Amino acid sequence: MDATNIISLFGGVAMFLFGMSVMGDSLKKVAGSKMEMILYKLAGNPIKGILLGTGVTAAIQSSSATSVMVVGFVNSGLMSLLQSVPIILGANLGAASTPWILSLSGVSGGSFILHLLKPSTFTPVLALIGVVMHNFSKSTRRKETGLILLGFAVLMYGMEIMSGSVAGLRTDPAFTGIVAAVSNPVVGIVVGALITVVIQSSSASIGILMALSATGGIPINAAIPIIMGQNIGTCISAALAAVGASKDAKRAACIHFLFNLLSAVLLLPVYLTVYNLAGWTFGMEMVDPVEIALINTVYKLISVIIFMPLSKLLVAISRKLVRDGAEDAVLLDERLLATPSVALEQCLNVERDMAELASNGVRAAMEQFTDYNEKTAEKIESWENKVDEYEDKLGSYLVKLSSCELLRRDAVRVSQLLRCLSDFERVSDHSVTILRSAGELREKKISFSPAAEAELKVAFAATDELLEKTNAAFCRGDSQAAVEVEPLCKVISALCEKIRAAHVERLTKGECTIETGFVLVDILTALERIGGHASNIAGCVLEIGKQELYLHEYLHLVRHGTEFERRYADYAKKYTLE
């Protein structure tokens, strides 16, 4: 093997890795957003978990990506450690699909169908289609599909270059000596693991093995140990992802490693037994790319069958290796940024929690006027602090997420979450304003007149329903609740004006005091501003449903329609001061 062949080999590996990267990234954008959400939402019983792990890995063509994704889920508390085990097993099984695709490079024969299956026949066609779709299509999805085809074409071309560069190795004495060395099971496992660790891609590692097998110089007794080692080496990605993560995330990475290591430990004696019983000639039979894919699939399938009922045992061992300690789940794990659709879903969950805390704070603050409680007051203050923390962390995280490569609908969603974020934080601020007004009345030992209390009770009831409608709109995407928000805001604004006017009238009659008037004005101002923030949030919800409709357009339409007037009249009748 001369210098030219060595350069061709490394060039082929480089093209293979580049093609795999382009194809994998585009697959994650096109299919991955759905696959990731299915994985996140539907992980349940072991069988379902294995099927999900297999399906997602086959769809995005990367067991490492799936494993890293699972580590991120566990680290954020989205998935329990036990739930992660079947998905990790499935990810390993799903990775068996890649070698079957690569085995097309070994297709030979003179028939027309076999000729079509040869990479040299279909790769140029796929590359041409990919270039046309990526350069001339306006659809983001079609552009990404074009990149999938281009990545696959480059990958297969890299595979052909690798195969061509090593074609003459079968008769090379140096290569024969290396093959003899890796025929030792332990050496073969170590070599397979090291190659995979170095290039951090089991697909590329097995691609190199398949290219070598195409020379007819790789016997069974060398191929099987190397495949076992490659499966161990692929754990490096999950291990790196777990650095600095929570203990359960480290345990998930540990389970991934244990599964592949114990599979090799258990199945190696089985292989050696079969090898010794079959005799020397069995081990020296040469394998081709298709047989490499078959061996890899059978090995992974047997491993999954063995460990499928042992999930709890793997979890127990991982807990022994990674000891317990006081630790909270990470609110927003930056590892999830590698899977933007899942990171976006987690952001939505956090903002939903934020919305609930803000509205609960306002409700609790309004109740303080009738039944003041120090513990409740402390709770409202702690909720407000929590909302401030959410705003700070979620705002920074959403900015980072917005810099990722997002589908258009996800980019729009990130923008909406950022816009609603400050509104929820301000609603929470107003809960403290209302609470302090209640505290001021208590400290100064003053109170509103019965008429003012009755009027505030109506305004509080309307605000309570407004918060309910706003949260239903945001948390559940309820567009019907969203269109109810604006007329209710107008009713609350009108109520506040009437209450101010009524207070001035009572003040002239000596029924109220200036001191209580200041407190009353603070409360009414807070209620009106809560209404303004609720209106912004409802507008954003409707804007998500109709991406061409902007907030100012929405407000103009809803304030000048017969439906709006009907809803306003209904709420005005429901919340009247008379």
Side-chain angles (χ1 to χ4, degrees):
M1 188 173 184
D2 57 24
T4 304
N5 289 331
I6 293 173
I7 293 172
S8 295
L9 174 61
F10 283 107
V13 172
M15 293 190 73
F16 183 99
L17 289 171
F18 178 73
M20 178 62 74
S21 175
V22 171
M23 186 179 74
D25 289 345
S26 298
L27 277 168
K28 280 193 281 187
K29 289 176 188 174
V30 174
S33 58
K34 294 180 181 178
M35 292 292 101
E36 291 155 9
M37 291 315 305
I38 290 171
L39 183 63
Y40 162 54
K41 291 183 175 180
L42 300 182
N45 62 59
I47 300 296
K48 187 188 293 183
I50 289 173
L51 292 175
L52 285 171
T54 302
V56 169
T57 303
I60 64 177
Q61 284 295 297
S62 176
S63 62
S64 297
T66 307
S67 300
V68 170
M69 199 189 309
V70 169
V71 169
F73 290 163
V74 174
N75 192 47
S76 296
L78 297 172
M79 183 182 291
S80 72
L81 186 60
L82 188 60
Q83 279 181 316
S84 72
V85 179
I87 296 173
I88 290 170
L89 301 187
N92 280 272
L93 184 57
S97 62
T98 306
W100 285 107
I101 297 172
L102 300 180
S103 68
L104 293 172
S105 63
V107 170
S108 60
S111 71
F112 176 72
I113 294 176
L114 289 177
H115 181 70
L116 290 178
L117 289 175
K118 291 180 180 179
S120 57
T121 303
F122 67 75
T123 296
V125 177
L126 292 182
L128 177 61
I129 295 172
V131 168
V132 171
M133 291 182 71
H134 183 259
N135 290 340
F136 299 104
S137 177
K138 294 181 179 180
S139 166
T140 303
R141 184 171 289 273
R142 288 197 186 95
K143 284 181 176 291
E144 294 299 337
T145 303
L147 281 179
I148 292 171
L149 297 177
L150 274 172
F152 181 71
V154 171
L155 180 155
M156 294 304 296
Y157 185 61
M159 187 73 185
E160 279 198 88
I161 291 176
M162 284 193 288
S163 298
S165 66
V166 298
L169 285 179
R170 183 174 185 177
T171 57
D172 189 322
F175 176 70
T176 306
I178 293 172
V179 170
V182 298
S183 296
N184 179 300
V186 176
V187 175
I189 289 173
V190 171
V191 168
L194 285 176
I195 292 173
T196 308
V197 166
V198 169
I199 61 179
Q200 291 195 35
S201 171
S202 60
S203 297
S205 178
I206 203 165
I208 294 171
L209 179 62
M210 294 173 81
L212 292 171
S213 71
T215 67
I218 301 294
I220 288 177
N221 64 357
I224 292 178
I226 291 174
I227 288 172
M228 290 180 175
Q230 288 169 336
N231 280 274
I232 295 172
T234 193
C235 301
I236 186 64
S237 299
L240 292 174
V243 174
S246 68
K247 285 184 169 56
D248 270 350
K250 288 184 174 72
R251 288 171 184 140
C254 183
I255 287 169
H256 187 215
F257 176 71
L258 283 171
F259 165 70
N260 285 290
L261 178 64
L262 294 177
S263 294
V265 170
L266 291 175
L267 293 179
L268 184 59
V270 176
Y271 155 69
L272 292 175
T273 302
V274 173
Y275 174 73
N276 289 324
L277 290 175
W280 182 81
T281 55
F282 165 76
M284 293 308 296
E285 289 183 9
M286 300 301 167
V287 291
D288 58 27
V290 174
E291 288 168 335
I292 291 287
L294 179 61
I295 292 170
N296 183 59
T297 302
V298 171
Y299 174 71
K300 288 177 179 290
L301 185 59
I302 293 173
S303 298
V304 168
I305 291 171
I306 290 172
F307 285 97
M308 186 168 60
L310 301 177
S311 296
K312 291 182 179 179
L313 176 62
L314 289 173
V315 170
I317 296 173
S318 71
R319 290 190 186 280
K320 290 287 185 183
L321 295 174
V322 182
R323 297 289 182 177
D324 283 318
E327 188 174 54
D328 295 325
V330 177
L331 182 66
L332 292 163
D333 188 356
E334 294 199 8
R335 293 167 183 80
L336 294 180
L337 293 173
T339 52
S341 58
V342 179
L344 178 57
E345 183 70 14
Q346 178 66 345
C347 289
L348 183 56
N349 288 338
V350 172
E351 196 155 335
R352 283 169 179 159
D353 291 342
M354 185 179 175
E356 290 295 334
L357 285 174
S359 58
N360 288 342
V362 173
R363 290 190 182 98
M366 293 189 298
E367 290 172 2
Q368 291 289 82
F369 287 93
T370 55
D371 184 19
Y372 193 92
N373 184 286
E374 288 287 354
K375 289 186 177 179
T376 302
E378 291 175 4
K379 190 180 290 185
I380 294 168
E381 294 274 7
S382 70
W383 286 343
E384 206 281 322
N385 291 333
K386 190 73 173 177
V387 169
D388 285 345
E389 181 188 351
Y390 277 13
E391 184 200 27
D392 181 47
K393 291 184 177 179
L394 188 54
S396 300
Y397 194 84
L398 283 168
V399 170
K400 290 178 182 177
L401 181 57
S402 66
S403 66
C404 297
E405 292 187 34
L406 300 169
L407 295 175
R408 184 175 182 275
R409 64 174 183 273
D410 288 344
V412 170
R413 191 67 170 174
V414 169
S415 175
Q416 306 304 325
L417 290 181
L418 278 168
R419 286 166 56 184
C420 290
L421 189 62
S422 60
D423 286 303
F424 284 124
E425 192 277 330
R426 294 309 305 276
V427 168
S428 182
D429 285 345
H430 293 311
S431 72
V432 176
T433 300
I434 296 169
L435 170 66
R436 289 173 182 168
S437 295
E440 185 178 348
L441 292 179
R442 183 169 178 268
E443 287 172 12
K444 294 180 178 180
K445 297 182 180 179
I446 57 177
S447 61
F448 295 126
S449 65
E453 286 182 356
E455 290 166 356
L456 269 180
K457 187 176 181 180
V458 175
F460 285 165
T463 303
D464 184 72
E465 183 169 356
L466 176 69
L467 293 170
E468 182 184 340
K469 296 287 185 185
T470 304
N471 280 11
F474 181 80
C475 297
R476 299 198 299 272
D478 188 341
S479 58
Q480 183 57 42
V483 298
E484 299 281 342
V485 168
E486 189 61 29
L488 191 47
C489 287
K490 186 177 178 181
V491 167
I492 291 171
S493 182
L495 281 172
C496 290
E497 286 300 319
K498 290 178 182 178
I499 293 172
R500 287 191 186 96
H503 169 72
V504 172
E505 186 177 339
R506 286 191 295 271
L507 192 62
T508 59
K509 295 179 181 179
E511 297 174 1
C512 285
T513 65
I514 293 177
E515 199 169 21
T516 57
F518 288 139
V519 177
L520 182 64
V521 169
D522 287 342
I523 296 168
L524 296 176
T525 301
L527 296 183
E528 286 177 318
R529 288 177 178 172
I530 287 171
H533 295 302
S535 176
N536 292 340
I537 294 164
C540 284
V541 171
L542 291 176
E543 193 177 331
I544 291 171
K546 298 180 179 179
Q547 294 179 12
E548 75 284 355
L549 187 66
Y550 294 97
L551 185 57
H552 67 277
E553 294 179 65
Y554 152 73
L555 293 176
H556 175 77
L557 289 173
V558 298
R559 289 172 179 168
H560 298 84
T562 55
E563 266 312 297
F564 174 81
E565 294 299 333
R566 182 189 65 76
R567 291 189 181 97
Y568 172 74
D570 288 343
Y571 282 126
K573 184 177 180 181
K574 182 177 181 180
Y575 298 108
T576 179
L577 299 180
E578 288 74 30

